[in-house]
């Protein structure tokens, strides 16, 4: 591809005239916005160790009382985007949130979709659209766009969870806003109880509902059991992975980001293909090495890393005698809906 004319090649009076009229010549910038073959990605392979993050999050517990914080979070920002942008990738936001015993994070609803992956502690809960969802390690709790949510804590130890939001893309769309609310009344029914068995779903008087995802909480015990069942059923299957889905449709659990759990067999090395969406890896159980472009990250439990799109990722279970379990978030639903999804193998 040959080089195109530069801005500096244009006479200053011409450039000034264009600027005055809010006009810009395309050709000096064309290669930057449309690079050959592979997109330019600001997303860098980045690693956040829980044992270094945790003491700082606990200190935030002293420094930022709930009334002054609303949500007490340390954002895991990708330096490639600039820390102040609070982005892990183009479409993903990541943060570690701390709730102390007795605290309450007030109810609100907003346009970005969120999920929480519970990292440590017991006794906390999130109420989403009136459903009180208990939080336990490894559980995935959704707060889809527009639904009221608040967090409370009846236990006696700090509770920490990983927040994954599509905030960067919703903000970029100039569609990100919040509505503050009152403490929610809770209802007795819970989607994760009514939709507790894959393949046998509620159909009162023969009717299936086609409303929003009826499941807001995916208990880790169920996802883990599904992975072990799949691994036992298909001993030759390389990628022992499940997707968190809407059980009414079989489609993705949320509109913009995709969520998965992956089991690595003892000692297994698995190469994930180069696909267009960026990905986040969070270790639920075990010990895993992630090779992302030129970076090797050793993940202990509760560690998190991210990978840019269009790059293969190789994961290795560092333990020869135990499976490892990885939670993955990616931008697949967004890429598929927009028609830019690619798997380059
Ligand atoms: C939010 O609402 C929560 O509800 C956490 O816990 C993190 C980050 C940006 C915007 C909204 C929550 C958030 C957030």
């Amino acid at each position: 591809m040959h080089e195109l004319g530069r801005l500096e090649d244009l006479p200053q009076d011409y450039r000034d005239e264009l600027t005055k009229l809010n006009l810009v010549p395309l050709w000096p910038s064309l290669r930057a916005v449309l690079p050959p073959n592979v997109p330019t990605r600001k997303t860098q392979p980045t690693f956040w160790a829980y044992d270094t993050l945790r003491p700082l999050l606990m200190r935030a517990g002293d420094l930022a009382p709930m009334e002054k914080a609303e949500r007490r979070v340390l954002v895991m920002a990708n330096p490639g985007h600039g820390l102040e942008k609070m982005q892990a990738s183009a479409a993903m936001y990541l943060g570690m949130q701390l709730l102390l015993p007795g605290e309450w994070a007030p109810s609100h609803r907003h346009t970005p979709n969120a999920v929480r992956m519970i990292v440590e502690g017991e006794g906390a809960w999130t109420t989403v659209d009136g459903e009180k969802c208990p939080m336990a390690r490894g559980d995935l709790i959704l707060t889809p766009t527009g639904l009221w949510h608040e967090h409370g804590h009846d236990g006696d130890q700090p509770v920490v969870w990983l927040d994954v939001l599509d905030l960067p893309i919703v903000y970029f769309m100039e569609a990100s806003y919040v509505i503050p609310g009152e403490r929610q009344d809770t209802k007795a029914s819970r989607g994760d109880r009514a939709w507790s068995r894959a393949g046998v779903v509620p159909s009162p008087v023969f009717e299936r509902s086609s409303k929003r995802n009826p499941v807001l909480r995916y208990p880790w015990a169920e996802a883990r059991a599904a992975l072990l069942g799949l691994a036992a059923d298909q001993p030759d299957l390389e990628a022992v992975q499940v997707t968190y889905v809407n059980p009414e449709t079989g489609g993705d659990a949320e509109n913009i980001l995709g969520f998965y759990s992956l089991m690595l067999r003892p000692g297994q090395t698995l190469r994930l293909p180069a696909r267009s969406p960026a990905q986040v890896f969070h270790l639920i159980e075990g010990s895993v090495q992630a090779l992302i472009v030129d970076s090797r990250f050793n993940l202990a439990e509760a560690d998190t890393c991210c990978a840019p799109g269009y790059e293969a990722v190789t994961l290795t279970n560092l333990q020869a005698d135990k499976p490892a379990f990885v939670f993955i978030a990616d931008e697949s639903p967004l890429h598929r809906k927009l028609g830019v999804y690619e798997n380059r193998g």
Side-chain angles (χ1 to χ4, degrees):
M1 238 181 235
H2 65 275
E3 237 169 78
L4 300 176
R6 298 171 307 168
L7 199 56
E8 303 82 68
D9 300 339
L10 299 170
Q12 192 59 50
D13 68 308
Y14 179 72
R15 288 164 63 180
D16 291 346
E17 188 82 4
L18 290 179
T19 304
K20 243 188 286 173
L21 296 172
N22 298 320
L23 295 169
V24 175
L26 173 61
W27 58 96
S29 304
L30 184 58
R31 295 284 186 259
V33 294
L34 214 54
N37 306 315
V38 185
T40 308
R41 288 135 305 153
K42 291 184 188 166
T43 304
Q44 294 173 1
T46 309
F47 172 69
W48 298 271
Y50 189 60
D51 69 346
T52 54
L53 184 159
R54 189 182 187 280
L56 296 166
L57 187 57
M58 293 302 151
R59 244 182 107 188
D62 296 327
L63 296 171
M66 218 47 193
E67 314 80 70
K68 294 281 181 197
E70 221 164 271
R71 297 294 191 268
R72 189 190 291 112
V73 177
L74 291 181
V75 178
M76 298 143 86
N78 194 306
H81 288 270
L83 299 184
E84 72 290 348
K85 293 281 170 54
M86 301 198 296
Q87 291 179 237
S89 70
M92 291 189 284
Y93 157 105
L94 289 179
M96 279 289 177
Q97 181 162 172
L98 169 67
L99 197 66
L100 294 170
E103 286 185 332
W104 181 63
S107 191
H108 67 192
R109 59 196 191 100
H110 44 68
T111 43
N113 300 269
V115 303
R116 341 228 159 254
M117 164 55 50
I118 316 309
V119 174
E120 75 164 79
E122 275 165 29
W125 41 266
T126 293
T127 300
V128 187
D129 196 28
E131 271 190 38
K132 191 169 173 177
C133 302
M135 291 173 149
R137 184 174 157 64
D139 291 352
L140 184 72
I141 297 177
L142 311 188
T143 54
T145 180
L147 299 191
W148 294 109
H149 56 281
E150 63 192 85
H151 317 300
H153 190 355
D154 303 324
D156 55 12
Q157 295 298 316
V159 164
V160 178
W161 62 82
L162 175 71
D163 289 312
V164 187
L165 280 83
D166 49 26
L167 177 65
I169 189 72
V170 178
Y171 181 77
F172 179 75
M173 291 163 62
E174 302 187 343
S176 176
Y177 71 95
V178 67
I179 298 173
E182 302 298 318
R183 194 179 276 262
Q184 297 169 68
D185 292 329
T186 54
K187 52 194 179 199
S189 66
R190 264 187 31 204
D192 63 310
R193 195 164 50 200
W195 274 261
S196 65
R197 295 285 181 275
V200 191
V201 300
S203 59
V205 208
F206 308 102
E207 293 298 334
R208 301 275 302 278
S209 90
S210 56
K211 288 185 307 195
R212 66 151 172 89
N213 188 349
V215 175
L216 297 170
R217 174 173 179 265
Y218 298 79
W220 173 235
E222 305 272 335
R224 193 179 190 280
L227 287 165
L228 288 169
L230 177 58
D233 182 64
Q234 298 176 36
D236 296 332
L237 180 65
E238 259 223 294
V240 181
Q241 184 173 315
V242 293
T243 302
Y244 294 92
V245 298
N246 172 343
E248 280 292 6
T249 62
D252 298 299
E254 284 189 349
N255 289 330
I256 296 181
L257 302 181
F259 307 101
Y260 321 84
S261 283
L262 171 71
M263 181 184 125
L264 295 167
R265 298 176 196 265
Q268 183 185 5
T269 292
L270 177 68
R271 183 186 176 278
L272 302 175
R275 301 176 310 125
S276 53
Q279 305 177 81
V280 165
F281 303 92
H282 173 82
L283 190 65
I284 299 179
E285 218 179 293
S287 175
V288 167
Q289 183 174 84
L291 172 60
I292 305 169
V293 195
D294 298 324
S295 302
R296 261 176 222 283
F297 303 130
N298 285 326
L299 282 82
E301 287 177 8
D303 290 353
T304 307
C305 65
C306 73
Y310 299 87
E311 301 289 350
V313 172
T314 302
L315 300 175
T316 301
N317 182 351
L318 297 174
Q319 290 176 312
D321 54 344
K322 291 190 197 84
F325 296 93
V326 185
F327 171 66
I328 304 175
D330 79 359
E331 302 167 332
S332 290
L334 176 67
H335 280 224
R336 289 183 206 275
K337 285 183 174 110
L338 299 185
V340 299
Y341 182 88
E342 277 183 56
N343 183 340
R344 295 188 172 186

